[in-house]
Amino acid sequence: MMNGEHSSDSTRSLSPGIASLANLGNTCFLNSVLYTLRFTPGFCHNLHHLNADLQARLKQENGRQKADPDQQNLVDVIQTLHHLFQKLCSSDGYTGDPKDPVLPSALLQSVGRLCPLFEGNQQQDAHELLVTLITHLQDVKISTFPNPDTNPHPTFDDNKKSKKK
């Protein structure tokens, strides 16, 4: 009984729920950060657009230039995080039998490649992971070239400064 109202199991099972993340063993820190980012206003929307911009950029480059490993790792984290949030959203609001928790293992591996501190299934500090992810995402700069032939070796560049003007 809560606030004088009775609650039944049938009512709870029919109410829309939020998709859950599986704990992979000592990964509560990861799940905490993922829930925090997911429900931060505007984060998923901005991540979606960042991922789309990166996809367009990679398609435009079409293998003309190989990104350095750090850039490749960051792109992998962005794509994996985007895919994970899409899976979570598609599982939200489900009113039938509970769905299995979403596994964040691919993201954990991607983050471990980006920052070796987070490799494996060891306990980590959630704040440290949050700062690492936000810092890397904040530093992403995507150059745009109207004509791909104008620069035979396009790279990520400082396009943010021109957007602020």
Side-chain angles (χ1 to χ4, degrees):
M1 185 154 113
M2 184 182 217
N3 294 332
E5 297 176 23
H6 292 280
S7 176
S8 70
D9 288 337
S10 62
T11 305
R12 269 188 247 136
S13 67
L14 295 178
S15 62
I18 301 297
S20 62
L21 290 162
N23 189 330
L24 305 173
N26 294 323
T27 57
C28 293
F29 74 96
L30 175 66
N31 294 0
S32 296
V33 169
L34 292 175
Y35 284 123
T36 299
L37 292 176
R38 183 168 179 224
F39 294 106
T40 298
F43 182 82
C44 286
H45 176 80
N46 291 331
L47 178 67
H48 176 75
H49 286 285
L50 175 61
N51 185 62
D53 291 348
L54 280 173
Q55 294 302 318
R57 182 67 190 155
L58 293 173
K59 188 175 182 179
Q60 183 182 6
E61 287 179 0
N62 197 19
R64 287 186 298 218
Q65 178 178 347
K66 187 143 175 102
D68 71 54
D70 289 336
Q71 285 179 342
Q72 288 176 339
N73 289 337
L74 180 57
V75 168
D76 185 49
V77 167
I78 292 166
Q79 292 172 341
T80 307
L81 182 60
H82 182 258
H83 181 71
L84 179 69
F85 284 164
Q86 283 181 321
K87 284 171 74 173
L88 288 169
C89 286
S90 69
S91 296
D92 280 349
Y94 187 71
T95 58
D97 292 330
K99 285 192 173 186
D100 289 333
V102 176
L103 295 171
S105 50
L107 180 64
L108 182 61
Q109 292 169 0
S110 294
V111 170
R113 285 189 294 272
L114 180 67
C115 183
L117 172 68
F118 299 106
E119 283 181 326
N121 288 28
Q122 300 174 2
Q123 276 190 327
Q124 300 291 342
D125 182 65
H127 179 259
E128 199 164 337
L129 175 62
L130 180 63
V131 169
T132 298
L133 286 174
I134 295 296
T135 300
H136 279 89
L137 292 173
Q138 186 175 1
D139 290 343
V140 172
K141 297 155 186 78
I142 302 172
S143 62
T144 55
F145 295 100
N147 179 354
D149 297 327
T150 59
N151 185 350
H153 302 291
T155 59
F156 296 108
D157 73 357
D158 193 359
N159 197 31
K160 276 188 176 176
K161 289 179 184 173
S162 63
K163 287 182 180 178
K164 290 180 180 176
K165 290 180 183 177

